[in-house]
Amino acid sequence: MKIVILTGAGVSAESGLGTFRDKDGLWAQYDLSEVATPEGFARNPVKVHDFYNARRANAAEAEPNAAHFALARLAREHVGDVVLITQNVDDLHERAGQDAMHMHGALSRAKCADCGAKWAAVLKMSARDPCPTCSRPATRPDIVWFGEMPEYMDEIEVHLTTADLFVAIGTSGQVYPAAGFVVEAARAGAATLEINLEPSDVAGLFDDQRIGPASETVPRWVDEVLSGASSKQ
Ligand code: APR
């Protein structure tokens, strides 16, 4: 059985990293048009780098939680394929021992706004940092901003249409294309499961739902799948 998993900020919430749309979330503290759009970066690159430097420092201090470790265990022990797509830009899945397709980019990478080259980010990044490829001072975070194309979309399409089970964990279902993945997977015949602290905006599109904090609900679900007890086999 091929399992395709999509995670959002809720899987890292109990590691102390903020979500975006919970009541005291990042978009309640910052104007996303200023820190998460190409126009915002063009207007004020220092403000944008300050925002991501702070998030990079938070992520470096955070630890993976039981949900990250349970998903890594599923990938190791499940007989079929386990594919992880994440909207998160932190590296907690990797630090729990699991590769993830970062469709919204990664705090751990830098990108040249001029030539597009990518490289490992330093903790405190600045637009003045020269690009190692073209030497121009055009360094930006390798984050997919609003209005930019998410990454890995071709690969993701293939996985959604060949999944036996699609599971969305800790995402509010408010940002497309990720919020529509459940429709594509279901159309191709996958069973669908949502795991969240509360029903997402697209909860009604899922066959099944587990409600509760990810650090409890995800390990319990993984135990069931690995023991063959889960109804979503
Ligand atoms: N356990 C499980 N789910 C949780 C927990 C928790 N402990 N805490 C919060 N959640 C859930 C919330 O109920 C909500 O559904 O996590 C979700 C967080 O939603 P958002 O803050 O909207 O985060 P996300 O869905 O990842 O946002 C998607 O929007 O701003 C863009 O690029 C950004 O990747 C992000 C995208």
Side-chain angles (χ1 to χ4, degrees):
M1 173 181 73
K2 176 171 181 176
I3 305 175
V4 176
I5 298 163
L6 169 72
T7 59
V11 82
S12 297
E14 291 163 89
S15 296
L17 296 186
T19 64
F20 294 95
R21 295 171 183 82
D22 288 336
K23 71 180 172 354
D24 52 356
L26 284 167
W27 298 148
Q29 302 167 46
Y30 295 90
D31 176 347
L32 70 82
S33 68
E34 291 181 356
V35 295
T37 62
E39 298 76 16
F41 183 68
R43 265 196 311 275
N44 189 339
V46 171
K47 180 173 211 162
V48 173
H49 275 299
D50 287 350
F51 175 66
Y52 286 100
N53 287 342
R55 291 185 63 198
R56 192 171 298 109
N58 284 346
E61 284 153 23
E63 291 298 327
N65 66 58
H68 296 103
F69 287 116
L71 293 176
R73 177 175 165 236
L74 180 71
R76 282 195 308 276
E77 299 179 14
H78 178 59
V79 174
D81 285 343
V82 174
V83 174
L84 176 59
I85 304 158
T86 187
Q87 300 171 91
N88 299 340
V89 293
D90 63 61
D91 60 351
L92 297 182
H93 284 303
E94 286 77 4
R95 284 164 55 199
Q98 184 172 16
D99 289 335
M101 279 186 270
H102 285 264
M103 63 180 287
H104 290 165
L107 289 169
S108 61
R109 281 200 309 265
K111 183 163 87 170
C112 177
D114 278 0
C115 76
K118 297 191 179 190
W119 64 95
V122 293
L123 204 53
K124 272 181 77 65
M125 202 188 287
S126 154
R128 291 186 309 281
D129 297 345
C131 166
T133 302
C134 72
S135 308
R136 281 195 288 276
T139 296
R140 59 168 276 185
D142 184 21
I143 299 289
V144 177
W145 286 325
F146 288 95
E148 296 183 323
M149 266 303 287
E151 302 194 0
Y152 300 103
M153 287 310 292
D154 294 342
E155 254 177 280
I156 289 171
E157 292 300 318
V158 172
H159 288 310
L160 293 176
T161 53
T162 54
D164 297 301
L165 174 60
F166 173 73
V167 187
I169 303 173
T171 179
S172 62
Q174 295 188 34
V175 174
Y176 287 82
F181 287 174
V182 57
V183 173
E184 293 176 65
R187 189 182 300 136
T192 57
L193 167 66
E194 177 175 84
I195 300 179
N196 200 307
L197 195 58
E198 59 192 22
S200 77
D201 281 25
V202 291
L205 299 175
F206 288 83
D207 300 326
D208 198 0
Q209 198 169 64
R210 305 283 173 96
I211 295 290
S215 65
E216 294 168 19
T217 47
V218 176
R220 194 174 313 130
W221 169 69
V222 167
D223 287 345
E224 288 175 17
V225 171
L226 291 178
S227 66
S230 163
S231 56
K232 294 286 165 224
Q233 282 308 304

